[in-house]
């Protein structure tokens, strides 16, 4: 039985608009080779937490905050104080909020509200038939999608050169599994569907009786059931739009899912039609936040105010003595929270060393081709598009270079051959006796082979001097380093060298698009050592002393070792300084490892155990990544130097007094802050709603298509942070907090920038981020509130 079609009279623009809104509520997921953290609430920036809770509960049955008992424990322990509860309550604009703190305390002790998820037709069919149709759809769709997206892993990959809908339809017309499980005539139903996705989608929407008001909500629900498959399709749309194009994969996925719904309604309509019409009517109503949603959002705010109060107390403490006069050495690190621990250790060892923080791509918008590779890697934030093409080893080939390329290609081909479906068993059979010793060393984490250093990056196309000077100037001004250069300036990118870890790229530099930051650091060092560039910079007011040398480095965040690329620029005049710097970096690494070992399970107390974790095939927690991140500070380093920030804070150097037109401030608020918010909110979403936004259980992961992971051997692809990267087996390592952004700058300048950037302003006004200012002593002073009004940061004074 089918419900009478009603869509044929609807305008296609209405349908297209509903599809587009539903698609943009799905966060993109980057492939494993270049995975980056993504804000799972990206499509909800104009809603607050309570409103999003109402929307997502209706389509998934899952909340977006921690259980009430979790907040109650923190209230009982004193972590969340009376002042925090009062402040969160007073700052909530919701009309249905509790009257006072005592009402809030009472609400937190009450039983959890029961979530009421709206069933899909597949859910209704399962209830009627006893057949688990949602799981069957997950399995059939996932099996097809793995082949469709395959990047070389599958034995039989799907045909290329056609859209997702026609590719699926070619398979669906011959797939007898649904029929064997009880959905008679499914293959014929697919064969009789319109050939064009637009027509098939319109027909299915009409047959389901979806009104225009119900479309967006139901489309969003169906796309959400696809998990990581839908998110990877959203990534393809994201990438296409960066190039000024479009992509219809997500729309095709929705069409496929609707055809399943259409077929199930035809099969079970007699039993479920009335209930389905009631569900459609509910989808047509806007979701409204309940008083329970508001209470949960206030409790989350209170938790975040407590964390901000603790940060304010740390910042109010005594600062370490800043470098007086010219520093002996400077080191510019990525703003990544993992750099904070190392920077603090290095400064404690070397009082004459000055460290700075800057986004780890160092302002170099590179598309890079590695040595002996044909693949261009985007080494910049995913919000941006590359503007410069570089390659390792140059364009011209010498005989020796050609031999090295052949060897490098052979190694990569051998690695791919080992893992390919067609050869994996043959590989083990043929090389097992020879390869056994290496496998044993790798499995026990005994192989600490040195990293292979690629040739330094070169421009594919010549960049004129003026353009190179502009690149260098923008980088230096962006990091507030325009004077006082040390004799040695390190540009320290970061990466993570781990094995047997599908999520390895997620431990790399997010500002470099999920790659390591060595290429960008080496490229900028070459620019800043170029005499022609230095001459041009002097003409623009940036005078670099003749004895200042820029050297690139790579910080391995898993082992805390630092690799110096001194061969790129190695004058004899700096040999002694380089030797002293190596010793300092090694000593700082020892201190940093010891601090991190206290948080890592089975790492010991000395930090020596950390060195083998990256090479241990059985290690599911080689490092914590960015777990624990809770704040972003843009201020001079003197405000935070020596203060124990515990690897929880993104540190960006910024001096507003030299930013006369506030262009650097605008860049910080619209780029690094947004990237940091993506990281913070992915960790938040993966913690509070792991079934919806998390990456699942690493112990069950299998790589699928070379682009993602599934739990088991089929089904929904998982995107997000795996559970073992958030939890140590006994407790959460990541406390779910939305980021506190602390800026030392005039409030008027900040407000002016936010007025021009609506999407960034929405993040603060809807509390996806908290915006605070620092005063001239580096203490938290004011808070950006509702309607853009600034007020004191805390109602109760920080002592």
């Amino acid at each position: 039985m089918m419900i009478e079609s009603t869509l044929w009279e609807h305008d296609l623009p209405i349908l297209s608009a509903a599809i587009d809104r539903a698609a943009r509520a799905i966060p993109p997921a980057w492939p494993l080779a270049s995975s980056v953290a993504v804000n799972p609430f990206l499509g909800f920036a104009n809603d607050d937490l309570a409103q999003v809770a109402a929307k997502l509960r209706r389509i998934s049955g899952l909340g977006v905050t921690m259980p009430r008992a979790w907040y109650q424990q923190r209230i009982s322990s004193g972590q969340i104080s009376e002042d925090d509860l009062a402040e969160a309550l007073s700052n909530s604009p919701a009309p249905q909020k509790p009257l006072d703190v005592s009402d809030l305390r009472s609400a937190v002790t009450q039983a959890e509200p029961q979530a009421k998820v709206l069933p899909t037709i597949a859910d209704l069919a399962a209830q009627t038939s006893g057949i688990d149709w949602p799981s069957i759809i997950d399995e059939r769709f996932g099996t097809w999608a793995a082949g469709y997206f395959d990047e070389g892993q599958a034995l039989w990959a799907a045909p290329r050169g056609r859209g997702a809908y026609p590719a699926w339809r070619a398979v669906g017309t011959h797939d007898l599994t649904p029929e064997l499980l009880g959905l008679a005539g499914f293959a014929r139903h697919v064969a009789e569907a319109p050939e064009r996705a637009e027509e098939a989608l319109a027909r299915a929407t009409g047959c389901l009786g979806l009104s225009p008001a119900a479309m967006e909500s139901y489309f969003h629900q169906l796309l959400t059931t696809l998990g990581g498959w839908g998110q990877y399709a959203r990534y393809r749309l994201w990438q296409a739009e960066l190039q000024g194009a479009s992509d219809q994969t997500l729309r095709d996925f929705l069409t496929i899912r609707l055809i399943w719904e259409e077929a199930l309604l035809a099969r079970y309509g007699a039993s479920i039609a009335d209930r389905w019409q009631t569900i459609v009517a509910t989808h047509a109503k806007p979701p409204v936040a309940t008083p329970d949603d508001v209470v949960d959002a206030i409790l989350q705010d209170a938790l975040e105010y407590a964390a901000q109060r603790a940060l304010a107390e740390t910042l109010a403490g005594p600062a370490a003595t800043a470098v007086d006069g010219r520093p002996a050495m400077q080191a510019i690190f990525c703003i990544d929270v993992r750099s904070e621990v190392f920077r603090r250790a290095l400064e404690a060892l070397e009082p004459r060393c000055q460290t700075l923080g800057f986004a780890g791509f160092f302002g170099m918008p590179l598309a890079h081709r590695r040595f002996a590779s044909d693949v261009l890697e985007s080494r910049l934030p995913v919000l941006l598009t590359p503007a410069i093409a570089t390659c390792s080893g140059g364009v011209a080939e010498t005989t020796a270079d050609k031999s090295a390329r052949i060897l490098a290609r052979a190694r990569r081909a051998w690695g791919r051959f080992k893992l390919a479906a067609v050869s994996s068993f043959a590989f083990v059979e043929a090389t097992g006796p020879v390869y056994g010793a290496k496998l044993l060393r790798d499995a026990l984490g005994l192989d600490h082979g040195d990293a292979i250093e690629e040739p330094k990056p070169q421009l594919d196309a010549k960049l004129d001097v003026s353009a190179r000077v502009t690149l260098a100037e923008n980088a230096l001004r962006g990091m507030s380093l325009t004077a006082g250069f040390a004799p040695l300036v390190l540009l320290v990118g970061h990466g993570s060298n781990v094995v047997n870890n599908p999520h390895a790229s997620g431990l790399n530099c997010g500002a470099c698009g999920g790659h390591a930051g060595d290429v960008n650091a080496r490229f900028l060092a070459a620019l800043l050592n170029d005499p022609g560039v230095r001459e041009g910079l002097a003409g623009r007011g940036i005078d670099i002393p003749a004895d200042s040398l820029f050297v690139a480095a790579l910080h391995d965040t898993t082992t805390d070792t630092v690799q110096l690329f001194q061969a790129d620029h190695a004058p004899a005049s700096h040999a002694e300084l380089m030797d002293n710097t190596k010793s300092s970096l090694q000593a700082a690494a020892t201190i940093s490892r010891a601090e991190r070992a206290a948080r890592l399970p089975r790492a010991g107390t000395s930090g020596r155990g950390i060195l083998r974790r990256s090479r241990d095939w059985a290690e599911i927690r080689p490092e914590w990544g960015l777990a624990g991140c809770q704040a972003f500070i843009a201020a001079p380093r003197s405000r935070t130097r020596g203060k124990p920030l515990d690897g929880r804070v993104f540190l960006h150097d910024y001096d507003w007094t030299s930013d006369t037109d506030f262009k650097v401030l605008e860049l910080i608020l619209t780029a690094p802050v947004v990237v940091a918010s993506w990281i913070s909110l992915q960790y938040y979403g993966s913690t509070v709603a792991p079934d919806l936004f998390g990456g699942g259980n690493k112990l069950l992961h299998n790589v699928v298509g070379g682009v993602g992971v599934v739990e088991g051997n089929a089904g929904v692809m998982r995107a997000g942070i795996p559970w073992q990267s958030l939890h140590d087996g006994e407790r959460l390592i990541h406390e779910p907090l939305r980021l506190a952004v602390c800026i030392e700058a005039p409030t008027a300048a900040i407000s002016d920038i936010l007025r021009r950037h609506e999407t960034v302003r929405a993040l603060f006004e809807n509390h996806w981020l908290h915006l605070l200012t620092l005063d001239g002593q580096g203490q938290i002073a004011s808070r950006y509130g509702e309607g853009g009004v600034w007020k004191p940061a805390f109602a109760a004074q920080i002592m």
Side-chain angles (χ1 to χ4, degrees), residues 91-155:
N91 287 334
S92 173
Q96 64 272 55
K97 66 185 180 182
L99 296 176
D100 53 36
V101 171
S102 63
D103 291 332
L104 189 60
R105 283 184 172 274
S106 175
V108 80
T109 62
Q110 296 171 4
E112 294 285 332
Q114 293 297 312
K116 294 182 179 179
V117 58
L118 289 178
T120 64
I121 291 175
D123 294 324
L124 296 176
Q127 295 168 15
T128 296
S129 66
I131 302 171
D132 190 356
W133 287 112
S135 293
I136 292 169
I137 295 171
D138 289 346
E139 189 276 330
R140 300 316 300 155
F141 185 89
T143 299
W144 166 80
Y148 181 74
F149 285 136
D150 181 71
E151 296 294 336
Q153 181 180 342
L155 182 57

Side-chain angles (χ1 to χ4, degrees), residues 297-512:
I298 291 173
L299 290 171
Q300 181 61 34
D301 271 336
L303 177 71
E304 289 158 356
Y305 291 152
Q308 292 162 22
R309 197 180 300 276
L311 175 63
E313 291 172 354
T314 298
L315 294 177
T321 303
V323 177
D324 186 20
R326 189 185 190 192
M329 187 260 283
Q330 291 164 319
I332 298 124
F333 287 80
C334 181
I335 64 173
D336 191 291
V337 298
R338 292 168 290 182
S339 299
E340 187 274 331
V341 179
F342 196 98
R343 290 175 62 183
R344 184 160 30 90
L346 183 60
E347 290 169 339
L349 285 167
E350 296 291 341
R352 299 290 302 159
C353 169
Q354 178 188 23
T355 74
L356 299 94
F358 188 58
F361 78 117
F362 294 106
M364 302 294 106
L366 306 182
H368 182 70
R369 179 168 56 82
R370 288 192 291 165
F371 184 67
S373 173
D374 296 323
V375 178
L376 275 178
E377 300 170 341
S378 295
R379 302 271 183 140
L380 74 170
V382 297
L383 303 170
L384 308 175
T385 54
I388 303 169
T390 61
C391 61
S392 290
V395 179
E397 285 190 329
T398 64
T399 302
D401 186 43
K402 185 175 182 179
S403 299
R405 288 178 185 275
I406 292 172
L407 179 60
R409 287 180 184 272
R411 284 175 177 165
R412 288 177 186 164
W414 183 247
R416 288 192 295 269
F417 174 77
K418 286 190 300 182
L419 302 177
V422 73
S423 60
S424 56
F425 293 106
F427 175 82
V428 173
E429 187 81 18
T431 66
V434 177
Y435 214 61
K438 176 173 172 52
L439 289 173
L440 183 62
R441 290 197 307 271
D442 287 347
L444 296 177
L446 302 177
D447 189 353
H448 297 280
D450 294 333
I452 299 174
E453 183 174 322
E454 291 209 340
K456 64 181 179 181
Q458 306 286 340
L459 282 170
D460 265 348
K462 186 137 182 94
L463 203 65
D464 63 40
V465 173
S466 177
R468 284 185 279 139
V469 171
T470 298
L471 274 175
E473 179 189 12
N474 290 341
L476 292 173
R477 294 195 185 281
M479 62 183 73
S480 295
L481 180 60
T482 57
F485 295 92
L488 177 63
V489 184
L490 299 184
L491 301 170
V492 190
H494 68 93
S496 179
N497 183 27
V498 297
V499 297
N500 196 34
N501 187 346
H503 297 90
S505 65
L507 298 176
N508 283 330
C509 181
C512 299

Side-chain angles (χ1 to χ4, degrees), residues 6 13 15 18 36 62 93 96 101 121 183 188 230 295 348 400 428 430 484 497 570 584 662 683 713:
T6 61
L15 178 61
V36 295
L62 299 172
Q96 64 272 55
V101 171
I121 291 175
L183 190 54
R188 184 177 67 253
V295 166
V428 173
N497 183 27
S584 297
F662 294 109
Y683 274 87
N713 59 4

Side-chain angles (χ1 to χ4, degrees), residues 315 633-636 639-640 656 742-746 772-782:
L315 294 177
I633 297 177
R639 310 294 188 240
T640 57
W656 73 268
C742 307
I743 309 285
E744 184 176 321
L772 305 125
T773 62
L774 302 180
D775 62 20
Q777 286 71 49
Q779 298 187 31
I780 294 179
S782 57

Side-chain angles (χ1 to χ4, degrees), residues 202-262:
R203 188 192 77 170
T205 305
C207 289
L208 268 56
L210 291 174
S211 65
M215 289 178 192
E216 179 184 345
S217 176
Y218 195 59
F219 292 167
H220 180 208
Q221 182 175 25
L222 291 183
L223 291 174
T224 298
T225 66
L226 301 179
W229 297 121
Q231 293 179 45
Y232 186 67
R234 178 69 176 88
Y235 153 78
R236 296 182 75 164
L237 175 60
W238 179 282
Q239 293 296 96
E241 289 181 338
L242 278 179
Q243 305 299 325
S246 187
D247 183 88
Q248 301 301 324
T249 305
L250 200 55
R251 180 211 60 185
D252 285 3
F253 278 14
L254 177 61
T255 306
I256 295 166
R257 190 62 184 81
L258 280 167
I259 287 177
W260 273 97
E261 296 283 276
E262 187 183 37

